[in-house]
Amino acid sequence: DPDLPYNHNCSFRITNLPDNVTEKDITDIVKNCGRVFHVSIHVGDNGAEAILIFFDYAGARRFLEISVMEPLFAGTCRMKICGQPVLIDRSPAKMPPQTELGWDVSRILRISGSAILVNETCLKAFSKSVCDCKIIETVDHGATEGNRDLEFRFSSFISGAGAVYCAIKASELFQESDVRVRFVRDPCGI
């Protein structure tokens, strides 16, 4: 959208990425910038590229500030990801709308409860049955007395954490088993 105000643009297109780049490589670079709404990678004939969208303009602005190492031309800057110089362009996408879940959401879910249901295999299968989501990292916070506490870091809020959160809340099986799910702080946030 060419009429999109600059301070509403929270989206970036990152090109010249190595073909083996992962969503985790991208989120590792943006730690302490702001909450990530979505990150996706596409590998095509011209190499890999990523779309990175922040929840708000403040995160996008911080990312732009840390990535400006050598300006090339208006709207583009240079930095390294996986040791390779990449190009970063503003992508014309508006700030994500506030969800019915409110503003205190992220792409990270912490799920705790009976280890029968709260285990990596079961939750990954459940997540895949809900949506075509990508879990880029799982953090195990331990087990006590038959309960497990896991953190799932999705590549996206809307097609990942948000959808899985709503599905767990709507599931009678998870609710009857007293499985708890909540959004937690995105390690990319500040």
Side-chain angles (χ1 to χ4, degrees), residues 109-124:
L109 289 181
R110 186 126 176 213
I111 305 167
S112 56
S114 169
I116 295 169
L117 290 173
V118 180
N119 62 71
E120 193 168 351
T121 303
C122 179
L123 289 172
K124 280 185 174 182

Side-chain angles (χ1 to χ4, degrees), residues 26-109:
I26 304 293
T27 58
D28 284 349
I29 291 294
V30 301
K31 279 201 164 117
N32 298 318
C33 286
R35 293 180 305 147
V36 172
F37 180 77
H38 174 83
V39 61
S40 62
I41 295 172
H42 171 75
V43 179
D45 294 337
N46 297 324
E49 65 178 50
I51 297 295
L52 171 66
I53 305 171
F54 289 91
F55 268 95
D56 57 31
Y57 179 68
R61 187 185 71 243
R62 281 188 287 280
F63 174 66
L64 196 57
E65 288 169 358
I66 68 157
S67 64
V68 175
M69 294 162 52
E70 180 183 323
L72 299 175
F73 52 89
T76 305
C77 51
R78 185 179 291 275
M79 72 182 310
K80 288 185 178 185
I81 296 178
C82 297
Q84 182 167 316
V86 297
L87 297 174
I88 300 170
D89 292 303
R90 297 302 289 262
S91 180
K94 292 182 180 181
M95 287 190 298
Q98 180 177 355
T99 71
E100 62 187 44
L101 300 172
W103 281 106
D104 193 25
V105 295
S106 73
R107 63 183 179 84
I108 316 296
L109 289 181

